[in-house]
Amino acid sequence: MKLSNFNFNLPAELLAEYPAENRDEARLMVVNRKTQTIEHKLFKDVLDYFGEGDVMVLNNTKVFPARLYGNKEKTGARIEVFLLRELNAEQRLWDVLVDPARKIRIGNKLYFGDDDSLVAEVIDNTTSRGRTLRFLYDGSYEEFRAKLLELGETPIPKYINREVTPEDAERYQTIYAKEEGAVAAPTAGLHFSKHLMKRLEIKGVEFAEVTLHVGLGTFNPVEVEDLSKHKMDSEELKISQEACDIVNKAKVNKKRVCAVGTTTMRAMESSVSSSRTLNAFEGWTNKFIFPPYDFSVADCMITNFHTPKSTLLMMISAFCGHDLMRKAYDEAIKEGYKFYSYGDAMLIL
């Protein structure tokens, strides 16, 4: 499989700028690998495909307001700063992306807030757009984090061509988000409502939670024709023993294990035993899944519709089978399914 196998034309009007009014009423395409068939449903119909003892594995990462706007000292130029990861809590060091990057050099200071209550100094260049910042703030660490939350904006994806609204802070968060640390939402989970989760629970479906803090690397375009040469950014991962016990019991009992989202699938595939069971893990993963690939844990998955040439699309191809994935995407475009973060969903059985 080469990069060119994952290209397709996506009409601009199929990019979802707003989610469905009710989370669980987005459209759902059900793709059956065994029968090679496609059905059209609503997301809340996932209820019909799961029963007692089946397990849905969720990524409980929580998006933090990672986009800040500051002004450069002396010139006052407006600079966007996207917080990627905290490097050192004590020294308040962060890896960030800056835009426009050409104006930002080591030694520059950036001022944030109407009253310049937060200042950062650029101490390193990491990539063409990447910088390391040291934040200068007089208060305690808790007060510093509160200041970041106050000044930050929900990091909705760049392709959404509109201003961020206060509603986005809730829209761009799964209802089960707990562990703060992601700069983008694990979007397949955005379709779940409290009501739908309750109905699944009543049916006897169990939930296991893992934490994979989604970084921007997940969305970096692949630029090499030979996929084996693409390097994924590392993302922080935690899988508890409790989650392993729930998943492994379902596998022993021949029940369905459903990965909710590509991040959940990557998390599980990053920590499996030789006997194809899930292992507890705490650390980092840069696992890149592309065809051909033999999946060890989940036997079905819920996902959104992804960008051409993206690592996410490559994983779907590996799980679904490339021809069936292409057929499903052709049909999604023909039927007007909405793509990306706020778009519609796919259940692959």
Side-chain angles (χ1 to χ4, degrees):
M1 282 285 172
K2 303 281 188 202
L3 178 61
S4 44
N5 293 114
F6 297 93
N7 201 11
F8 62 92
N9 288 324
L10 181 61
E13 66 272 14
L14 296 186
L15 299 183
E17 297 213 327
Y18 293 93
E21 197 172 332
N22 297 318
R23 285 175 183 251
D24 57 15
E25 288 184 353
R27 294 171 74 189
L28 177 71
M29 178 185 280
V30 182
V31 179
N32 191 312
R33 294 178 294 170
K34 200 168 169 186
T35 59
Q36 299 279 297
T37 54
I38 292 171
E39 294 177 281
H40 304 286
K41 303 279 187 174
L42 292 180
F43 190 79
K44 58 189 180 186
D45 297 327
V46 295
L47 202 60
D48 301 336
Y49 297 89
F50 296 92
E52 192 166 351
D54 290 340
V55 171
M56 285 189 168
V57 188
L58 313 171
N59 182 4
N60 68 9
T61 188
K62 189 174 187 181
V63 181
F64 67 95
R67 192 171 275 139
L68 301 171
Y69 292 96
N71 298 96
K72 190 178 167 187
E73 64 178 338
K74 296 181 183 152
T75 66
R78 181 173 149 101
I79 305 294
E80 178 188 307
V81 172
F82 197 102
L83 302 173
L84 289 179
R85 62 175 68 101
E86 186 174 50
L87 298 174
N88 184 308
E90 203 179 318
Q91 295 181 37
R92 297 179 189 171
L93 294 182
W94 281 76
D95 257 347
V96 305
L97 294 177
V98 292
D99 193 23
R102 60 192 160 71
K103 295 183 176 179
I104 303 301
R105 298 189 174 91
I106 293 172
N108 287 161
K109 283 201 170 78
L110 301 171
Y111 293 86
F112 302 92
D114 295 337
D115 54 356
D116 295 343
S117 55
L118 184 64
V119 182
E121 184 181 4
V122 182
I123 62 167
D124 197 11
N125 287 345
T126 51
T127 62
S128 58
R129 288 179 59 214
R131 302 289 184 272
T132 301
L133 297 187
R134 177 186 286 121
F135 284 96
L136 312 170
Y137 187 75
D138 288 338
S140 67
Y141 179 72
E142 287 67 30
E143 289 167 327
F144 164 64
R145 289 298 297 226
K147 179 57 74 174
L148 287 184
L149 290 178
E150 176 198 322
L151 296 174
E153 186 178 276
T154 301
I156 66 170
K158 279 282 197 194
Y159 72 82
I160 294 182
N161 197 15
R162 61 170 173 81
E163 290 295 307
V164 174
T165 65
E167 292 80 18
D168 284 314
E170 187 201 336
R171 283 176 182 149
Y172 201 57
Q173 201 78 269
T174 63
I175 57 168
Y176 46 77
K178 289 189 186 79
E179 304 288 334
E180 191 171 272
V183 300
T187 54
L190 295 177
H191 300 291
F192 284 89
S193 64
K194 287 195 169 90
H195 181 64
L196 178 58
M197 301 240 346
K198 194 75 201 160
R199 290 179 71 196
L200 285 161
E201 219 175 278
I202 289 165
K203 270 192 98 170
V205 175
E206 292 187 68
F207 298 99
E209 295 184 5
V210 298
T211 305
L212 182 103
H213 290 316
V214 188
L216 284 185
T218 298
F219 307 100
N220 280 350
V222 179
E223 290 170 342
V224 286
E225 184 65 10
D226 179 352
L227 301 185
S228 65
K229 298 205 164 38
H230 177 70
K231 294 283 183 288
M232 291 286 281
D233 282 1
S234 289
E235 293 169 320
E236 197 174 354
L237 169 61
K238 288 181 203 142
I239 302 174
S240 67
Q241 190 56 51
E242 182 191 0
C244 295
D245 293 344
I246 295 169
V247 168
N248 293 334
K249 184 180 95 182
K251 285 181 74 66
V252 167
N253 293 334
K254 304 277 190 285
K255 298 293 184 181
R256 268 194 171 144
V257 174
C258 181
V260 177
T262 54
T263 59
T264 301
M265 185 69 91
R266 274 185 62 228
M268 291 197 289
E269 290 296 319
S270 296
S271 187
V272 291
S273 70
S274 54
S275 55
R276 301 167 82 84
T277 56
L278 188 59
N279 284 342
F281 181 82
E282 191 160 335
W284 295 76
T285 178
N286 62 353
K287 192 166 187 68
F288 172 33
I289 296 174
F290 60 95
Y293 184 85
D294 183 20
F295 290 83
S296 296
V297 186
D299 47 29
C300 58
M301 78 180 292
I302 291 169
T303 187
N304 282 31
F305 290 93
H306 304 294
T307 346
K309 297 185 175 180
S310 64
T311 59
L312 311 172
L313 185 65
M314 290 160 192
M315 180 194 290
I316 301 312
S317 164
F319 191 72
C320 199
H322 193 72
D323 292 344
L324 184 56
M325 181 275 286
R326 291 301 304 229
K327 181 181 163 188
Y329 269 61
D330 288 346
E331 184 141 343
I333 290 168
K334 191 181 87 187
E335 296 290 333
Y337 275 73
K338 295 288 189 182
F339 277 61
Y340 303 175
S341 303
Y342 282 157
D344 294 316
M346 181 192 274
L347 169 62
I348 307 170
L349 297 171

